[in-house]
Amino acid sequence: MELEYLEGLNEPQREAVLQTEGPLMIIAGAGSGKTRVLTYRISHLINHGIDPFAILALTFTNKAAAEMRQRIEKVVGSEARSIWMGTFHSIFARILRIEAHRIGYTRDFSIYDTEDSKSLIRTLLKEMNLDDKTYRVGTVLHRISSAKNGLISVNEYQRNELFRAEDEGNRIPEMGRLYRAYQDRLLKANAMDFDDLLFNTNVLFRDHIDVLNKYQQKFRYVMVDEFQDTNVSQYVITRKLAAVHQNICVVGDDAQSIYAFRGANIQNILNFEKDYPDLKIIKLEQNYRSTKTIVQAANSVINKNKAQLRKAVWTENEDGSLIDLVKAGSDNEEGVLIANSIFEEKMQHSLRNSDFAILYRTNAQSRAFEEALRRKNIKYRIIGGLSFYQRKEIKDLVAYLRFTTNQNDEEALKRIINLPKRGIGEGTIAKIIVAAGEAGLGLWDVVSNSVSFLGARLAGPIDTFATLIKSFRYTAEQKDAYETAAHIAKTSGLLKELHEDKTVEGLARFENVQALLNAIKEFVDNPQNEDKSLSAFLQSVSLLTSAEDDKDTDRDKVTMMTIHAAKGLEFKYVYIVGLEEDLFPSQMMLTSRADLEEERRLFYVAITRAEKKLTLSYAETRYQYGRLKNCEPSRFLKEIDNDYLRTNHSLSNREAYVNSFVRNLTPRKPEQINATIHTPSSDFTPSDTSRLAEGMKVEHAKFGFGTVKEIDASAHDRKARIFFDKAGEKTLLLSFAKLRIVES
DNA sequence: ATTTATATCTTTTTT
DNA sequence: AGATATAAAT
């Protein structure tokens, strides 16, 4: 067994697997079989009698953890389930839940997501009378987040002259007070944000030596994947945990560090050598994934960066085909061209949809590709974007669940107290918060005794709400998570409200809530989950990014995602799209952080996802904020050695244009829709466009389908008006965005 | 308190 | 264009 899995490894790989004792750093180039090495290394430990419970493996995404666990299970069997493997956030949330009472929390603490955090900051700004235009919510949160990721406590922050000077320079001198107020409120709400999960773990280990000792003894082997993306807070935790046994293994690639914006610190790699003088370093430089062309093009890009550990990634693979460069007239045409290319390559080389990936810089870019692929009947899936758990209806129900387990959760309370409408307006909510603050009590104390705090007039509806929550709390004590959640969904009136909404969107929302309930049922039915309480479910759910299509049996789909989400994955054919200056590299990155090198590393990550063939594309025009904007090709395109490139001269076809140019659909009267058709170039006469638009079917969520009947092409300015049948009975309202062409 | 009209801002990546 | 905040109307 052992020989079997060592057989396929090259020398440094084998060494990395066998070197289980003492500090080890593996510098793993892209495609060098890193996951394989990690998998075998852990399997090797288990095969040699190490208790899986003594192994801690930290990754950056849930997906990476799940995949590795699966692969280990193939080698060692069901023992793999016992390994402590997961993201930093999920592992330490688990530990914090066990030890919460030590640091002033209860085990039912809530986890605030970014939306909750921002909402809290907004209320704080109001309460402290600070202008939200000078104190931008995003900036404030980012500032607090960086402090916590760098292990700077509130006290230190306020004491530190450097921060004070910086904040005064930025005209936000109250930052220190804000930070304090924010942390106070989180503690009062028995809630932690993402950064607190790490920060508070540090506090826990610092102030409670016995707890630290317990986990130091427990984890004999500590492993960190994607080490280049750890921040100070994460690094200190792992260093402390490994302090006794010194069996720490970190795996990373400085060339793939793409999370500096989140506090990741390449310094960690350099410090690592200082912290562990007898550190062993192994470099994996042979690439098994990609063709020579791709590997060399990637090298030529990354070598433009100054800050890097020199490392020579090479491959014995074949040369492979050249990199295609596609120029499109518009973002929509870019979608069509890529969809066509996928279609053709698929036919020519008899490939599967799942062999293809489209990678972009920002989530917003996915639209054009979705539309083009849908038209060609190519199945696709999108990773990331608005995840399932960020949707309004899901967050609403989750807020009910959160508040049922934790009555101090202020953000959850604000969300649900008047949902469905109970006649509790913003004014009333503000009064509740003020009353609680004055009495030095929690919100729930006020809500559950509303008469004595707010008088009988306001108390009526609040009382109803309080009684409802009390009954939910009782249910939660008696029943498991699923029964409780189903009961809450029904009794709160959430389901009823959604059920009455017969629009397309309303239907989808209703189904989403059902899907959440199903997910809770699965959680309860899973024998691996011992604790079936509502609060246990919430814990597991708050750290999920996306509701991964586990239930989606059809895996043969083209994958679309941001480059960040693509790290660690590989595909035969990869399309990197939107290679335009200011988009990729992102303008923000260049102006606010002046970090072109991180953008270039991002490009490097994208290129090295490809196994067989890479296609790059950019558009000359792109819709942004409703306007057509001219784009310049990205500087990155010029950085690729011409020897590896082949420009694709395929010209766009007219039909493709027009299909995607029906825009600005403006309802005037219920039976009439004003649609504006923009064309990108003066090649198109108004009659040209209108002829093509005729007969198209139009879909609007509020009133179903209609067919284009008549087109008034007399309008100037490359616009045409469209009239079509009214097909629904609801009053026509104004979500123009939902209007789209479904078929021509 | 709630709905509806109008104005303003957005401008990245993710646990 | 679309989301969100604010003002005005109900």
Side-chain angles (χ1 to χ4, degrees):
Chain A
M1 190 62 190
E2 179 174 332
L3 283 178
E4 196 179 305
Y5 60 69
L6 286 178
E7 204 114 288
L9 300 180
N10 67 24
E11 198 40 47
Q13 285 178 329
R14 183 176 314 200
E15 203 184 347
V17 169
L18 297 176
Q19 177 80 36
T20 57
E21 309 302 303
L24 170 68
M25 178 155 71
I26 304 172
I27 304 286
S32 62
K34 174 193 75 170
T35 312
R36 224 168 138 214
V37 166
L38 267 179
T39 307
Y40 289 158
R41 196 169 185 277
I42 296 175
S43 308
H44 186 72
L45 284 170
I46 294 176
N47 279 340
H48 279 71
I50 303 297
D51 183 355
F53 280 110
I55 301 174
L56 174 65
L58 298 163
T59 61
F60 269 77
T61 62
N62 297 303
K63 208 167 49 187
E67 195 193 313
M68 202 182 300
R69 194 189 295 279
Q70 229 171 22
R71 288 171 69 163
I72 295 172
E73 203 168 338
K74 275 198 191 132
V75 187
V76 303
S78 61
E79 273 193 289
R81 287 188 211 140
S82 312
I83 306 167
W84 279 67
M85 180 148 51
T87 62
F88 274 91
H89 291 84
S90 68
I91 293 281
F92 294 114
R94 194 164 146 195
I95 289 179
L96 281 171
R97 199 164 129 79
I98 299 169
E99 315 288 346
H101 58 283
R102 304 275 195 151
I103 51 169
Y105 281 85
T106 78
R107 55 182 290 117
D108 292 326
F109 68 83
S110 299
I111 297 174
Y112 277 10
D113 67 10
T114 312
E115 208 182 312
D116 297 320
S117 297
K118 285 187 171 165
S119 156
L120 173 54
I121 287 171
R122 253 176 235 120
T123 28
L124 289 175
L125 289 174
K126 238 175 250 162
E127 285 173 23
M128 294 167 69
N129 248 327
L130 297 173
D131 179 19
D132 62 357
K133 291 206 172 74
T134 37
Y135 287 84
R136 299 268 294 269
V137 177
T139 317
V140 172
L141 185 59
H142 183 250
R143 200 97 183 117
I144 293 174
S145 171
S146 321
K148 286 199 271 198
N149 285 330
L151 288 184
I152 314 284
S153 69
V154 173
N155 285 336
E156 281 168 79
Y157 191 96
Q158 289 195 306
R159 239 183 281 129
N160 189 316
E161 281 306 316
L162 212 79
F163 292 126
R164 187 189 306 257
E166 233 171 61
D167 287 336
E168 269 165 20
N170 292 326
R171 298 178 194 276
I172 44 173
E174 300 294 333
M175 259 313 301
R177 270 181 62 217
L178 265 171
Y179 184 12
R180 181 175 298 280
Y182 178 76
Q183 289 309 118
D184 279 355
R185 275 301 248 287
L186 279 168
L187 185 61
K188 272 213 189 93
N190 194 23
M192 301 190 197
D193 68 12
F194 287 137
D195 304 315
D196 283 334
L197 294 175
L198 306 172
F199 187 90
N200 286 335
T201 301
N202 271 299
V203 171
L204 175 73
F205 287 166
R206 185 196 62 200
D207 296 346
H208 301 274
I209 297 297
D210 55 319
V211 177
L212 175 62
N213 280 339
K214 180 168 119 195
Y215 290 100
Q216 280 176 331
Q217 292 303 331
K218 177 175 173 48
F219 297 126
R220 266 185 71 188
Y221 294 90
V222 178
M223 264 162 263
V224 183
D225 193 11
E226 309 284 8
F227 184 62
Q228 75 280 356
D229 288 329
T230 49
N231 58 39
V232 170
S233 184
Q234 291 164 321
Y235 179 55
V236 173
I237 293 175
T238 37
R239 198 182 56 199
K240 276 193 177 165
L241 280 178
V244 170
H245 296 294
Q246 296 271 315
N247 295 327
I248 181 169
C249 166
V250 301
V251 187
D253 178 7
D254 57 302
Q256 295 184 65
S257 163
I258 54 175
Y259 281 103
F261 72 91
R262 210 172 79 185
N265 193 343
I266 308 196
Q267 258 341 86
N268 284 347
I269 289 192
L270 306 174
N271 287 341
F272 202 68
E273 283 194 75
K274 287 186 205 128
D275 284 350
Y276 298 91
D278 52 347
L279 174 71
K280 174 137 182 101
I281 299 179
I282 296 175
K283 285 189 184 180
L284 306 180
E285 296 178 309
Q286 181 174 0
N287 175 305
Y288 294 96
R289 178 186 296 156
S290 316
T291 63
K292 275 205 184 70
T293 306
I294 291 166
V295 168
Q296 285 166 8
N299 282 341
S300 76
V301 166
I302 200 66
N303 283 333
K304 304 266 188 316
N305 273 1
K306 299 216 165 58
Q308 60 169 326
L309 305 171
R310 287 287 157 187
K311 150 169 90 314
V313 177
W314 57 279
T315 185
E316 282 175 352
N317 294 345
E318 56 178 11
D319 284 345
S321 54
L322 289 176
I323 297 169
D324 266 344
L325 177 58
V326 174
K327 177 171 93 173
S330 70
D331 47 358
N332 293 299
E333 196 206 1
E334 187 184 31
V336 174
L337 291 177
I338 300 300
N340 287 343
S341 166
I342 290 178
F343 187 82
E344 275 160 30
E345 298 278 13
K346 198 181 141 189
M347 289 303 159
Q348 251 176 49
H349 303 103
S350 52
L351 295 158
R352 296 152 55 84
N353 288 332
S354 54
D355 291 324
F356 296 88
I358 301 174
L359 308 182
Y360 35 74
R361 180 64 234 266
T362 68
N363 280 308
Q365 285 166 256
S366 67
R367 262 183 161 231
F369 302 98
E370 287 180 67
E371 203 158 310
L373 288 173
R374 205 167 33 222
R375 262 202 198 127
K376 285 204 96 63
N377 270 327
I378 300 173
K379 291 205 173 127
Y380 63 86
R381 66 183 174 138
I382 296 180
I383 296 184
L386 334 153
S387 86
F388 183 74
Y389 288 99
Q390 285 169 327
R391 288 177 197 167
K392 183 185 173 300
E393 62 276 17
I394 299 302
K395 288 204 71 171
D396 288 343
L397 179 53
V398 169
Y400 263 102
L401 304 183
R402 256 165 62 178
F403 196 70
T404 300
T405 52
N406 172 15
Q407 284 82 37
N408 294 316
D409 190 328
E410 188 178 327
E411 294 306 317
L413 173 67
K414 280 195 288 195
R415 217 181 157 95
I416 61 174
I417 193 167
N418 198 29
L419 188 101
K421 301 268 186 303
R422 303 189 170 83
I424 306 174
E426 242 162 274
T428 315
I429 296 174
K431 275 179 198 146
I432 296 173
I433 294 177
V434 170
E438 279 172 357
L441 294 168
L443 293 180
W444 176 245
D445 298 315
V446 176
V447 171
S448 55
N449 295 295
S450 50
V451 183
S452 53
F453 283 101
L454 304 164
R457 199 179 62 81
L458 288 172
I462 301 178
D463 232 37
T464 321
F465 174 73
T467 314
L468 192 68
I469 296 296
K470 277 179 200 157
S471 82
F472 290 167
R473 215 161 52 166
Y474 178 75
T475 315
E477 278 165 21
Q478 307 295 319
K479 313 261 184 173
D480 67 29
Y482 173 69
E483 287 179 78
T484 311
H487 173 74
I488 291 177
K490 211 185 311 157
T491 320
S492 67
L494 276 186
L495 268 186
K496 186 161 167 276
E497 199 181 54
L498 288 177
H499 194 63
E500 280 162 6
D501 185 351
K502 295 293 185 202
T503 62
V504 178
E505 298 143 311
L507 223 61
R509 274 192 237 121
F510 185 79
E511 277 166 14
N512 284 339
V513 171
Q514 293 294 354
L516 174 60
L517 290 175
N518 287 340
I520 303 179
K521 181 112 181 72
E522 271 168 41
F523 175 85
V524 170
D525 290 344
N526 185 343
Q528 277 192 56
N529 297 319
E530 282 165 29
D531 187 350
K532 303 195 185 301
S533 70
L534 187 56
S535 88
F537 172 76
L538 283 174
Q539 185 83 48
S540 78
V541 104
S542 354
L543 294 168
L544 286 185
T545 340
S546 50
E548 279 313 315
D549 345 305
D550 283 343
K551 48 202 177 304
D552 193 353
T553 45
D554 187 3
R555 297 214 104 70
D556 187 25
K557 293 177 173 177
V558 174
T559 309
M560 292 197 261
M561 63 194 141
T562 63
I563 300 167
H564 282 90
K567 197 165 65 161
L569 305 178
E570 57 188 20
F571 299 89
K572 283 203 177 105
Y573 281 59
V574 168
Y575 295 82
I576 307 174
V577 300
L579 275 158
E580 294 134 38
E581 198 61 18
D582 293 347
L583 181 60
F584 190 22
S586 136
Q587 185 172 32
M588 281 255 87
M589 206 63 156
L590 297 190
T591 53
S592 74
R593 299 176 28 86
D595 199 348
L596 180 63
E597 299 217 337
E598 177 154 326
E599 289 289 293
R600 196 178 277 121
R601 288 194 292 270
L602 202 53
F603 190 34
Y604 175 78
V605 169
I607 295 172
T608 52
R609 296 313 96 197
E611 296 171 35
K612 296 280 175 247
K613 186 173 172 192
L614 182 66
T615 303
L616 310 175
S617 84
Y618 68 97
E620 295 174 300
T621 63
R622 184 174 290 282
Y623 275 96
Q624 198 180 30
Y625 308 130
R627 309 240 149 262
L628 201 63
K629 175 191 128 194
N630 289 318
C631 308
E632 290 295 317
S634 166
R635 72 181 76 183
F636 287 158
L637 288 174
K638 287 158 217 150
E639 291 182 357
I640 296 187
D641 201 317
N642 263 331
D643 295 349
Y644 306 124
L645 275 180
R646 169 174 61 206
T647 309
N648 190 337
H649 287 290
S650 81
L651 275 179
S652 50
N653 64 44
R654 280 183 167 213
E655 209 139 356
Y657 269 132
V658 174
N659 278 343
S660 47
F661 289 132
V662 179
R663 283 171 185 273
N664 293 340
L665 298 167
T666 316
R668 294 282 181 240
K669 289 187 249 162
E671 69 281 0
Q672 177 187 329
I673 291 262
N674 243 16
T676 312
I677 302 177
H678 286 288
T679 58
S681 70
S682 45
D683 289 357
F684 290 84
T685 65
S687 65
D688 222 3
T689 25
S690 55
R691 198 180 57 243
L692 280 158
E694 209 155 27
M696 282 178 173
K697 282 190 183 153
V698 178
E699 180 193 37
H700 187 286
K702 288 273 179 195
F703 59 109
F705 293 87
T707 311
V708 177
K709 276 174 77 180
E710 182 193 337
I711 293 172
D712 169 12
S714 61
H716 301 292
D717 203 19
R718 313 208 305 258
K719 290 178 182 174
R721 281 201 305 164
I722 297 177
F723 303 94
F724 77 105
D725 292 341
K726 175 188 164 186
E729 71 295 330
K730 280 215 161 193
T731 331
L732 178 53
L733 299 175
L734 312 77
S735 187
F736 309 145
K738 297 300 177 292
L739 207 54
R740 65 163 188 267
I741 307 301
V742 288
E743 168 187 334
S744 63

